[in-house]
């Protein structure tokens, strides 16, 4: 009898607890289930978007590789789609870099510059931004827009400081600023180190400037 009374008390306690907290428990469980399902749905959606973006990126690469009369148009169209519809996938920035190189090879300097200028403004991907600024500076150098080229090389990321110094030396040398060019190239050599193959290239430019 005592055992039955003890069991009954436990059951009453459970019933009382459930009456007080049951709704909250059910609500929390439902919220967790919805959040879990929502997370998986979001992951699936993101995967679908990434696959779509990859398709446009591959189309861009194909247009760049295969060429053809309308290749520049196809390159620009694919790059624009990636930038406008899939900006968060990573393919947009990579696509801009591929498009810039391909368009420059096709002698479409205006199109290439537009791609690089967009990429140079993408602060959320600093490594790609740094590459774009370096290439844009080189393109502006070829176009003899020296001040604009130097403007792309301000505040270089530490990992790109030596490469930026090398490009700065190229621009200063083209302007006839020999002493400044020499200092920039020496800074590049110091930053690159003796083991870097590019050091020899910069040293040749420095020697040529000095008449060695």
């Amino acid at each position: 009898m005592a055992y039955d009374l003890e069991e009954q008390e436990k059951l009453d306690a459970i019933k009382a607890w459930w009456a007080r907290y049951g709704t909250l428990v059910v609500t929390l469980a439902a919220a967790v289930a919805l959040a879990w399902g929502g997370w998986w749905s979001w992951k699936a959606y993101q995967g679908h978007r990434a696959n779509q973006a990859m398709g446009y990126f591959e189309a861009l690469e194909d247009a760049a590789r295969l060429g053809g009369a309308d290749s520049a148009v196809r390159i620009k169209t694919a790059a624009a789609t990636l930038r406008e519809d899939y900006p968060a996938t990573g393919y947009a920035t990579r696509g801009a870099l591929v498009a810039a190189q391909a368009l420059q090879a096709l002698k479409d300097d205006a199109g290439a510059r537009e791609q690089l200028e967009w990429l140079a403004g993408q602060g959320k991907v600093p490594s790609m931004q740094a590459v774009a600024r370096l290439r844009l500076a080189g393109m502006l150098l070829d176009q003899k827009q020296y001040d604009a080229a130097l403007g792309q090389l301000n505040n270089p990321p530490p990992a790109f400081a030596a490469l930026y110094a090398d490009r700065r030396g190229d621009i200063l040398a083209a302007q006839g600023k020999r002493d400044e060019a020499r200092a920039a190239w020496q800074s590049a050599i110091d930053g690159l180190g003796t083991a870097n193959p590019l050091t020899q290239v910069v040293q040749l430019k420095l020697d040529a400037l000095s008449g060695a």
Side-chain angles (χ1 to χ4, degrees):
M1 183 69 177
Y3 176 79
D4 292 342
L5 181 60
E6 183 180 350
E7 289 295 315
Q8 186 61 46
E9 288 176 349
K10 289 181 180 180
L11 288 172
D12 290 342
I14 292 172
K15 289 178 180 179
W17 184 91
W18 183 257
R20 185 173 182 179
Y21 299 108
T23 301
L24 177 61
V25 170
V26 171
T27 301
L28 289 174
V32 169
L34 287 172
W36 184 257
W39 183 81
W40 276 108
S41 295
W42 173 250
K43 292 291 287 184
Y45 172 74
Q46 290 293 87
H48 176 66
R49 296 276 294 173
N51 286 334
Q52 288 182 315
M54 182 173 65
Y56 283 104
F57 181 76
E58 290 175 346
L60 192 160
E61 286 188 311
D62 288 343
R65 184 179 67 257
L66 300 175
D70 63 341
S71 58
V73 173
R74 289 186 287 121
I75 289 168
K76 291 178 182 179
T77 300
T81 300
L82 288 170
R83 285 163 48 176
E84 294 168 8
D85 297 343
Y86 307 95
T89 61
Y91 287 106
T93 51
R94 290 166 57 192
L97 203 57
V98 172
Q101 184 172 353
L103 290 170
Q104 195 169 12
L106 292 169
K107 308 302 181 183
D108 186 350
D109 289 343
R113 180 171 174 174
E114 192 270 337
Q115 298 292 332
L116 291 174
E117 286 177 341
W118 175 83
L119 187 54
Q122 303 306 302
K124 292 182 179 180
V125 280
S127 60
M128 298 291 280
Q129 180 187 44
V131 172
R133 288 171 56 193
L134 187 63
R135 291 193 179 182
L136 184 56
M139 175 173 286
L140 292 168
L141 167 61
D142 292 339
Q143 297 172 355
K144 302 186 186 308
Q145 298 183 39
Y146 302 128
D147 290 338
L150 288 172
Q152 292 296 328
L153 303 175
N154 293 327
N155 303 314
F160 287 81
L163 295 176
Y164 274 45
D166 175 42
R167 184 58 48 83
R168 187 178 296 107
D170 296 341
I171 299 166
L172 292 168
Q175 290 180 295
K177 299 178 179 179
R178 297 169 60 88
D179 290 341
E180 293 179 54
R182 184 180 293 106
W185 279 332
Q186 187 59 57
S187 176
I189 289 172
D190 294 342
L192 290 168
T194 56
N196 193 315
L198 184 58
T199 299
Q200 297 180 11
V201 178
V202 182
Q203 185 65 56
L204 286 174
K205 292 189 285 188
L206 189 57
D207 291 344
L209 186 67
S210 303

